[in-house]
Amino acid sequence: MNRTPMTKAGFEKVKAELNRLKSVDRPAVIKAIAEARAHGDLSENAEYHAAREQQGWIEGRIGELSYLVNHAEIVDIGKLTGSIKFGATVTLEDEDSGKQVTYQIVSQAEADMQNGLLNMESPLARALIGHDKGDDVEVNTPGGIRNYAILKVEFK
């Protein structure tokens, strides 16, 4: 059985979304379908078709999240040390622009670049894994080759 590494915070976020979908969104869309059915002819009922489409999306998302919850391997980041790996929070400096960025390397399910959560399967994360503070890494990105200096590695 394949396990998906997740941080505790990421796991809790997935569980909360799953609970909301099951307890709030699913009942609401079932109610919307029932109300749309009451309007008569379903073949020309846009409300009914929209509600059914929403129901399909909700059920699909529930399936995805249930799989993640059932296959999650929660990693205690605070117990990790050493070189960059899953869970590490890394501060980098772009050697071309001088801009500093900080990312935590997380699973695909938790990834959110806007909030500094970097997918461990991304080109940047794969280039960083195994390196240490003070190393320079070259990353082949869709936008071209980028060079980064690793300024700090933390496990928090």
Side-chain angles (χ1 to χ4, degrees), residues 122-152:
S122 69
L124 178 56
R126 287 189 305 206
L128 292 171
I129 290 175
H131 287 278
D132 290 305
K133 176 183 174 182
D135 290 352
D136 291 329
V137 293
E138 182 177 277
V139 183
N140 191 4
T141 69
I145 294 179
R146 308 290 304 209
N147 294 298
Y148 294 95
I150 302 171
L151 303 178
K152 189 179 349 177

Side-chain angles (χ1 to χ4, degrees), residues 29-85:
V29 80
I30 289 170
K31 182 179 177 186
I33 289 170
E35 289 174 2
R37 276 191 177 142
H39 292 122
D41 185 10
L42 298 181
S43 65
E44 295 181 20
N45 188 331
E47 290 175 9
Y48 173 78
H49 292 290
R52 287 297 305 234
E53 187 174 312
Q54 181 67 18
Q55 181 186 34
W57 182 88
I58 288 170
E59 294 303 325
R61 186 69 177 150
I62 286 172
E64 290 173 18
L65 296 176
S66 294
Y67 180 87
L68 284 172
V69 167
N70 291 328
H71 292 86
E73 180 179 333
I74 301 171
V75 177
D76 185 354
I77 306 303
K79 293 183 179 179
L80 300 177
T81 60
S83 62
I84 298 172
K85 58 182 131 281

Side-chain angles (χ1 to χ4, degrees), residues 111-133:
D112 181 0
M113 286 296 288
Q114 303 292 349
N115 292 311
L117 301 174
L118 181 64
N119 179 356
M120 67 183 178
E121 300 296 327
S122 69
L124 178 56
R126 287 189 305 206
L128 292 171
I129 290 175
H131 287 278
D132 290 305
K133 176 183 174 182

